[in-house]
């Protein structure tokens, strides 16, 4: 499947802030924070480190542009979401078209749904940092970060699961929604940890990583598809009814 090469959208300045110089400073801080958060986690990075990495001499630059570390974290999530959004829209359009034509399969759905993340990861160093950053947010203790990620990411996976449910109506929508969250986390962690394969000599994984990365992607899609459509063995719990 071919995908469009993503373009890096310009970061939007916060309303009320000044001219091009301030916008450039804000953009540099966001990009510096993205890289440091991806490498060291939210808790492992200080505002002073972020300011220094952004090439700023004023230690209060983060507070001026974002009010707090939490505000900066939200801005970084928004920045990554803006890069993913056009790719996700393209993926959903492809899913709806295949669904309308009656040619969509669960395997094709999985490959189409994960390609926005694969494309972003493969686009640039910043794209790889973006995926690693999102991966960290899934287990980061910072509740605000997880909530922000869920707010931005859930609508996409919900739409994907709704399309999947039409293909597998025998599965409960609740079960599929849960599995959809697991798939989203698996995609992020799998891409973020991709470099591990380059050091695994057993079974030719390192060679496959270097020479046939698309084969690894096919294996990953097969793995995820199997998990999504696997029969449910856990008894369904009755839903509580409001009095």
């Amino acid at each position: 499947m071919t995908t469009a090469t993503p373009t890096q959208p310009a970061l939007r300045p916060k309303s009320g802030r000044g001219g091009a110089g301030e916008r450039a400073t804000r953009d540099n801080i966001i990009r510096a924070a993205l890289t440091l958060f991806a490498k060291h986690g939210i808790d492992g990075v200080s505002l002073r480190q972020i300011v220094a990495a952004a090439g700023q001499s004023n230690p209060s630059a983060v507070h001026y542009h974002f009010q707090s570390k939490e505000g900066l974290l939200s801005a970084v999530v928004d920045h990554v979401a803006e890069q993913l959004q056009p790719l996700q829209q393209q993926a959903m359009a492809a899913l709806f078209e295949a669904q309308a034509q009656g040619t969509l399969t669960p395997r094709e759905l999985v490959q189409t749904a994960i390609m926005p993340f694969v494309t972003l990861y493969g686009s640039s160093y910043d794209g790889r940092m973006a995926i690693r950053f999102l991966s960290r947010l899934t287990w980061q203790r910072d509740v605000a970060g997880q909530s922000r990620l869920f707010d931005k990411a859930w609508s996409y996976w919900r739409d994907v699961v709704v399309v999947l449910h039409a293909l597998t109506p025998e599965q409960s929508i609740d079960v599929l929604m849960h599995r959809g969250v697991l798939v989203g986390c698996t995609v992020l962690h799998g891409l973020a940890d991709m470099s591990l394969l380059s050091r695994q000599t057993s079974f030719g994984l390192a060679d496959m990583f270097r020479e046939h990365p698309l084969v690894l992607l096919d294996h990953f899609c097969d793995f995820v598809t199997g998990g999504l459509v696997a029969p449910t063995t856990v008894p369904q719990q009755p839903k509580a009814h409001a009095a």
Side-chain angles (χ1 to χ4, degrees):
M1 186 181 72
T2 59
T3 58
T5 301
T7 58
Q8 296 291 332
L11 294 172
R12 298 177 181 175
K14 193 170 182 178
S15 59
R17 293 303 183 192
E22 288 193 358
R23 290 195 296 272
T25 297
R26 187 176 188 275
D27 296 352
N28 289 337
I29 292 173
I30 288 176
R31 290 191 170 95
L34 170 62
T35 299
L36 291 174
F37 287 159
K39 290 182 175 180
H40 307 294
I42 313 304
D43 296 334
V45 178
S46 69
L47 295 184
R48 186 176 297 276
Q49 288 174 306
I50 294 171
V51 170
Q56 300 301 309
S57 58
N58 186 351
S60 63
V62 170
H63 291 285
Y64 176 76
H65 289 280
F66 307 98
Q67 287 70 58
S68 64
K69 189 175 185 180
E70 183 175 315
L72 174 58
L73 176 62
S74 293
V76 175
V77 174
D78 289 344
H79 169 53
V80 175
E82 287 175 5
Q83 296 178 69
L84 281 170
Q85 187 175 37
L87 299 172
Q88 291 172 333
Q89 290 173 342
Q90 179 184 8
M92 289 308 306
L95 289 179
F96 289 142
E97 181 179 359
Q99 184 183 39
Q101 294 175 351
T103 60
L104 186 64
T105 65
R107 174 61 168 71
E108 182 183 356
L109 177 142
V110 167
Q111 181 170 347
T112 303
I114 71 173
M115 283 309 295
F117 304 91
V118 175
T119 302
L120 178 59
Y121 178 86
S123 66
S124 63
Y125 175 80
D126 287 344
R128 291 191 290 278
M129 291 300 101
I131 294 299
R132 287 181 63 180
F133 167 71
L134 295 180
S135 174
R136 281 194 177 272
L137 283 186
T138 65
W139 54 264
Q140 184 73 33
R141 292 183 301 166
D142 178 81
V143 176
Q146 287 189 345
S147 297
R148 192 69 173 159
L149 171 66
F150 199 83
D151 290 343
K152 290 292 183 179
W154 176 237
S155 61
Y156 175 70
W157 288 112
R158 179 197 60 209
D159 292 344
V160 170
V161 169
V162 168
V163 176
L164 176 63
H165 188 240
L167 298 177
T168 57
E170 69 279 3
Q171 290 281 18
S172 162
I173 187 68
D174 293 337
V175 169
L176 290 179
M177 286 293 181
H178 178 220
R179 291 180 179 181
V181 173
L182 295 177
V183 167
C185 293
T186 301
V187 170
L188 293 176
H189 297 325
L191 289 172
D193 296 336
M194 188 68 70
S195 62
L196 288 174
L197 295 177
S198 66
R199 293 186 288 274
Q200 301 301 314
T201 57
S202 300
F203 309 108
L205 285 177
D207 292 338
M208 188 178 295
F209 174 80
R210 289 190 297 268
E211 300 171 13
H212 305 289
L214 293 182
V215 174
L216 285 175
L217 179 61
D218 283 336
H219 287 320
F220 185 78
C221 290
D222 291 340
F223 167 75
V224 172
T225 303
L228 273 177
V229 302
T232 303
T233 60
V234 179
Q236 294 293 302
Q237 298 295 323
K239 294 184 178 180
H241 295 282

